[in-house]
Amino acid sequence: MARALLTWLAQPERRHAAHVQWLEMHLSLGPHGTEVEERGLTALVASCVTACDTAGQLQELVLDLHPIEGPLAPFGWLPPLHSLQELSINCGSELRLTVAATALPALQRLQLSGTPVVFEAAARLPPSIIDLSLSDLEGEEMPLQVSWPLSRQ
């Protein structure tokens, strides 16, 4: 069902996606999803989000992706979203931030949930963030990209 909706929204001849301001997707590959299916799903999500952002109307995006076997690196495959103000990503596996989130210049609220949430050295959060929520059941330390402003008082 979700794949059919994503495919319908991502079709270029449809104009409905350009009016979407808030998009929430709860997607699952099932217990035996393959790496190829996972890549197909992330490509389909990226196409859907791109279609919804074409008119600059998409303000809030919620992604709940379960189960994903390998690490999920959303800033590597999410398209530039210039109007997005709120982003929530929840996955039942490792959520890995590998690159700077520079394609999200209007982002103010960010919620990340993974087991664990990993910030690689190149990962950077947009300076526009005013509300950050990290949910990591395995992490023991605050990522440097998040903790440095807190320690400069």
Side-chain angles (χ1 to χ4, degrees), residues 61-66 72-78 84 86-101 104 107-120 123-126 129 131-139 142-143 145-146:
L61 176 61
V62 176
L63 297 175
D64 190 4
L65 307 170
H66 290 274
L72 180 67
F75 296 136
W77 54 263
L78 273 177
L84 193 70
E86 298 183 37
L87 175 61
S88 177
I89 301 174
N90 180 23
C91 71
S93 64
E94 181 177 300
L95 182 59
R96 183 171 290 275
L97 291 105
T98 58
V99 297
L104 306 170
L107 192 66
Q108 295 180 351
R109 290 175 185 80
L110 178 62
Q111 179 181 354
L112 301 173
S113 178
T115 308
V117 176
V118 177
F119 282 75
E120 291 188 358
R124 296 286 179 269
L125 298 176
I129 297 234
D131 186 1
L132 176 65
S133 173
L134 296 176
S135 178
D136 177 352
L137 299 176
E138 292 183 0
M142 185 71 77
Q145 293 89 334
V146 176

Side-chain angles (χ1 to χ4, degrees), residues 31-46:
H32 304 292
T34 67
E35 186 178 326
V36 170
E37 291 173 322
E38 188 174 311
R39 282 196 307 267
L41 181 64
T42 57
L44 201 50
V45 169

Side-chain angles (χ1 to χ4, degrees), residues 40-55:
L41 181 64
T42 57
L44 201 50
V45 169
S47 294
C48 177
V49 170
T50 300
C52 291
D53 190 59
T54 55

